[in-house]
Amino acid sequence: MSKIIDGLYYSESHEYVKVDGEFGYIGITDYAQHELGNVVYVDMPEVDDEVAAGEEFGAVESVKAASDLLSPVSGTVVEVNEALEDEPGLINKDAFENWIIKVELSDKSELDDLMDAAAYKAMIGE
Amino acid sequence: MAEEIKTTCLHDNHVALGALMTPFAGFDMPIQYKGIVEEHNAVRTNVGVFDVSHMGEVAVTGPEAEKFVNYIFTNDIKDAEIGKVFYGMMLYPDGGTVDDLLVYKMGENDFFLVINAANIDKDVAWINEQAANFDVKVENQSDYYAQLAVQGPEGENTIKNVLDLDGSDLTFYTVKKVQYDGETIILSRTGYTGEDGFEIYASHKAIVKMWNLLMDAGVQPCGLGCRDTLRFEVGLPLYGDELTAEISPIMATLGMFVKLDKEGGFIGRDACAQQKAEGSAKKLVGLELHDKAIPRHGYEVLQGDKVVGYVTTGYRGISVDKSLAFALVDRAAGTLGNELSVRIRKKVFPATVVKKRFYTTSYKK
């Protein structure tokens, strides 16, 4: 059974946003890391890049395949999780602790389009 | 409408082990059990067992069996010793590849062909078509035989201790018939992992029994996921990626398995001879990226701004900690040491042309 954290916002493509004031930490869910298997590479944007809700901002790759990362929200990248460059497998250890990018949110109303923990839990059938 | 998916005799065992199952070559097959990395490392350092019962088997016998097999096969089996195994291809007249396969010499004019699961129907039709003018009997035995691959440095000890099968007298690429549980089975020192190991062909009943013994002994079950990473690291091709109806073995730089001068010739010989003499337009090369980004099948390969080919298989190596690929590129671009690049999503990453064998093998000679 996958870990799901209350208070986060979830997308249909298995990304989460953890909101902290004007900022959001974006990563993939525990369910997603489990489905992927061993994560061997995370393709991340650069600081100051713009991301848009529903648009690709990078990829997370298992041994077998690359999966696009879709941003749940729009904004400007203010930080990327550099630890993932050397140790992408951190996502398998704890997907919620090991966020991928930190974004300055440009439109917090977009959060209303995302799922809460209960809705996400229902979507993945757990 | 989707074709009905086939299963091997071990399907229930895989499901019970919690394997991730995926359709492959028309069969519902295990991709992984514990994880690709762990399974890969088990084979490199110890031992692992694969259910490869999806593979096809064809027996060719009769007075002209040797002459016939040599005519449809690129390697040279003439006058070979009984018990020898050969790797090679069946080709179309234009040099394109029908399939790559193993040919086992089981006796005089008695050959056992091991073909790819995805190609069974196509290959059997092709073989039968070519056999019209030869005095041979072609028998598709794919439904009878199940197959296990026990691979890794502990393979010989494992089959001895767990299955009571003695492989110590087999050198790499040899085969023998042995008795097991009241039936005659086929045991060869072959594999698709770059490690020492054995392949066992037997009835469904015997294979299920052997699988259960191996599981009880704690041998790591391995899925098709690591079968692909293992074969890739040691430079072995996969039909559909590195060999296709459009890719000849000469283009795939597998010319050592194509005996252009053998007696009687073979289908596709002239096309291969021409490609070898003139240089094929495309060739398969190894690429090593300088970055951690991972090249995948179908990604573009560039020289400067010009697209010169595409990736056929790519991985972040498991035994080799590098991002690596096989790529089919324009011959001129494929010189060893050339600096090319691979387009991965929005970015372009530099890559050096290197030899396709990324990891060194340890076979028993």
Side-chain angles (χ1 to χ4, degrees):
Chain A
M1 181 136 170
S2 308
K3 185 170 152 187
I4 297 171
I5 295 183
D6 284 332
L8 307 190
Y9 297 88
Y10 295 88
S11 70
E12 286 179 6
S13 47
H14 308 287
E15 292 87 5
Y16 65 82
V17 189
K18 181 162 75 182
V19 176
D20 178 14
E22 298 307 305
F23 299 99
Y25 293 90
I26 298 171
I28 65 167
T29 64
D30 186 53
Y31 175 84
Q33 73 74 21
H34 185 75
E35 290 292 299
L36 280 166
N38 305 112
V39 174
V40 293
Y41 179 69
V42 186
D43 184 2
M44 294 182 283
E46 290 173 12
V47 169
D48 292 336
D49 281 0
E50 299 288 327
V51 297
E55 301 282 312
E56 182 228 308
F57 70 90
V60 57
E61 304 208 26
S62 67
V63 176
K64 219 45 217 161
S67 302
D68 284 346
L69 289 164
L70 303 182
S71 185
V73 288
S74 305
T76 307
V77 178
V78 294
E79 199 177 338
V80 301
N81 186 353
E82 287 173 3
L84 297 176
E85 286 173 11
D86 291 327
E87 209 181 333
L90 286 170
I91 288 185
N92 295 118
K93 285 183 185 153
D94 190 334
F96 291 112
E97 192 65 32
N98 294 287
W99 50 272
I100 296 169
I101 56 172
K102 181 181 178 185
V103 170
E104 184 171 4
L105 304 172
S106 60
D107 181 2
K108 285 181 90 168
S109 73
E110 287 172 348
L111 295 169
D112 299 339
D113 299 332
L114 299 169
M115 286 174 273
D116 64 9
Y120 182 68
K121 189 173 178 175
M123 189 191 91
I124 61 175
E126 290 189 354
Chain B
M1 211 170 84
E3 279 181 47
E4 195 182 337
I5 191 133
K6 290 180 274 193
T7 55
T8 75
C9 60
L10 291 168
H11 188 267
D12 291 349
N13 304 61
H14 302 317
V15 172
L17 285 164
L20 174 65
M21 305 295 290
T22 300
F24 176 83
F27 288 80
D28 193 36
M29 296 297 288
I31 292 300
Q32 62 173 62
Y33 304 82
K34 275 177 125 172
I36 292 176
V37 174
E38 268 176 280
E39 293 164 28
H40 177 110
N41 288 332
V43 172
R44 285 271 185 263
T45 61
N46 186 13
V47 67
V49 58
F50 300 79
D51 172 22
V52 282
S53 302
H54 59 315
M55 300 291 287
E57 295 84 12
V58 177
V60 180
T61 54
E64 291 187 305
E66 179 182 284
K67 188 179 164 195
F68 171 65
V69 173
N70 226 16
Y71 178 65
I72 60 169
F73 188 54
T74 59
N75 213 329
D76 190 1
I77 62 165
K78 189 176 179 327
D79 298 330
E81 281 177 39
I82 292 170
K84 281 284 286 178
V85 180
F86 294 86
Y87 173 72
M89 301 83 196
M90 294 190 291
L91 303 181
Y92 295 107
D94 69 0
T97 308
V98 179
D99 202 359
D100 64 336
L101 66 154
L102 294 180
V103 171
Y104 289 50
K105 182 164 179 178
M106 305 307 296
E108 293 306 332
N109 283 312
D110 179 358
F111 296 92
F112 186 69
L113 280 50
V114 182
I115 58 179
N116 282 301
N119 294 339
I120 294 172
D121 293 346
K122 177 186 80 174
D123 288 2
V124 171
W126 174 258
I127 293 166
N128 276 315
E129 200 180 310
Q130 310 315 314
N133 299 321
F134 291 83
D135 187 1
V136 293
K137 183 179 165 201
V138 175
E139 199 183 342
N140 179 2
Q141 301 179 330
S142 305
D143 289 341
Y144 173 77
Y145 281 109
Q147 185 192 350
L148 295 182
V150 180
Q151 300 283 300
E154 286 301 314
E156 185 180 313
N157 291 334
T158 301
I159 63 166
K160 178 72 197 162
N161 298 338
V162 182
L163 305 176
D164 199 23
L165 294 174
D166 181 12
S168 63
D169 56 339
L170 291 173
T171 53
F172 196 54
Y173 267 64
T174 61
V175 60
K176 65 177 180 179
K177 288 180 185 169
V178 292
Q179 292 300 310
Y180 183 84
D181 210 23
E183 67 178 80
T184 303
I185 67 167
I186 294 170
L187 175 66
S188 63
R189 195 163 204 142
T190 50
Y192 190 49
T193 60
E195 297 302 324
D196 190 16
F198 295 85
E199 292 180 298
I200 305 166
Y201 305 82
S203 71
H204 294 188
K205 179 169 161 273
I207 290 291
V208 171
K209 181 175 175 180
M210 286 188 242
W211 175 270
N212 287 330
L213 287 169
L214 291 162
M215 291 304 106
D216 290 346
V219 175
Q220 174 67 53
C222 294
L224 296 185
C226 78
R227 188 169 154 87
D228 204 50
T229 56
L230 287 159
R231 68 92 191 167
F232 169 74
E233 285 184 344
V234 294
L236 297 172
L238 172 66
Y239 189 87
D241 287 342
E242 284 78 36
L243 289 167
T244 69
E246 285 75 43
I247 305 175
S248 75
I250 302 298
M251 293 160 72
T253 56
L254 295 166
M256 66 182 288
F257 303 106
V258 181
K259 306 299 183 190
L260 294 172
D261 299 327
K262 74 176 176 180
E263 197 178 303
F266 59 93
I267 300 172
R269 186 225 164 257
D270 292 351
C272 285
Q274 189 179 355
Q275 288 181 10
K276 196 177 174 194
E278 296 174 4
S280 57
K282 298 269 184 189
K283 76 182 274 202
L284 193 74
V285 297
L287 291 179
E288 182 181 319
L289 275 71
H290 308 168
D291 195 276
K292 289 182 179 175
I294 305 171
R296 303 284 185 183
H297 178 92
Y299 288 5
E300 287 177 346
V301 177
L302 301 100
Q303 187 171 33
D305 296 335
K306 188 182 160 216
V307 176
V308 292
Y310 70 93
V311 170
T312 58
T313 303
Y315 281 109
R316 183 78 200 168
I318 295 175
S319 304
V320 189
D321 189 24
K322 289 171 179 165
S323 291
L324 304 164
F326 299 151
L328 191 69
V329 301
D330 294 345
R331 173 159 293 275
T335 308
L336 272 183
N338 266 11
E339 292 298 328
L340 305 177
S341 57
V342 181
R343 190 187 304 285
I344 299 178
R345 289 175 291 276
K346 292 169 189 164
K347 295 179 218 161
V348 165
F349 293 90
T352 306
V353 177
V354 296
K355 289 185 176 165
K356 293 201 305 295
R357 180 164 294 190
F358 304 115
Y359 180 82
T360 314
T361 56
S362 48
Y363 300 121
K364 177 170 175 180
K365 297 292 175 193

